[in-house]
Amino acid sequence: MSANINIGKLIKQVRKESGLTQEELAEKSDLSVNFISRIERTDNQNISWKNIEAIAVALGLSTIELLQVNENRQQHRGLYLTKLMRILEEMNELEAEELSKNIIDIIELLQRKK
């Protein structure tokens, strides 16, 4: 991992890719909106490991996954795929199979419309 990582930029990038506002991330991580805003917009990287972990969990990632977002971006499977896999893993087998089938049906439908 790069020693020059800007955690604020990473948090902002992942938050936006996840479709969350600063307010939603603050609520999910049990941190203030002002704190999230300050971390995202400044070079002040004075953030505790506990707060990084709270933000990562709120974004549906492990702390390591959050810190590695930019590491191998070309090889990264994508945040949405990671999130989808986590959701499927938490479901029972029948629910996961049904949801997977529905997702594939939607993808195939969209591909036919192209």
Side-chain angles (χ1 to χ4, degrees):
M1 181 168 21
S2 170
N4 295 327
I5 191 168
N6 183 318
I7 189 68
K9 286 181 181 177
L10 286 177
I11 290 168
K12 183 176 184 177
Q13 174 187 340
V14 176
R15 175 183 60 77
K16 286 187 169 195
E17 288 176 0
S18 298
L20 294 174
T21 64
Q22 287 181 341
E23 291 80 9
E24 291 167 327
L25 178 57
E27 184 177 325
K28 286 180 155 218
S29 62
D30 202 28
L31 299 167
S32 73
V33 176
N34 288 337
F35 179 79
I36 299 293
S37 175
R38 180 179 52 81
I39 290 299
E40 287 187 0
R41 69 180 153 69
T42 68
D43 289 333
N44 177 359
Q45 299 301 299
N46 187 13
I47 180 172
S48 71
W49 188 255
K50 178 183 166 197
N51 288 341
I52 292 172
E53 185 175 29
I55 291 169
V57 169
L59 292 168
L61 300 170
S62 71
T63 306
I64 298 302
E65 287 171 324
L66 175 62
L67 297 176
Q68 290 179 339
V69 167
N70 273 353
E71 188 71 7
N72 295 310
R73 195 62 172 165
Q74 307 309 44
Q75 297 172 358
H76 194 278
R77 295 185 70 179
L79 295 174
Y80 292 115
L81 182 56
T82 301
K83 194 170 189 174
L84 178 59
M85 292 303 295
R86 187 167 285 131
I87 290 168
L88 289 171
E89 289 169 0
E90 291 174 358
M91 294 178 144
N92 72 47
E93 191 173 333
L94 291 174
E95 290 174 331
E97 187 68 24
E98 183 64 25
L99 180 59
S100 297
K101 179 192 174 303
N102 290 338
I103 291 170
I104 290 169
D105 289 346
I106 291 168
I107 292 169
E108 289 174 348
L109 177 66
L110 292 171
Q111 287 173 337
R112 284 194 295 262
K113 288 188 174 187
K114 284 186 178 179

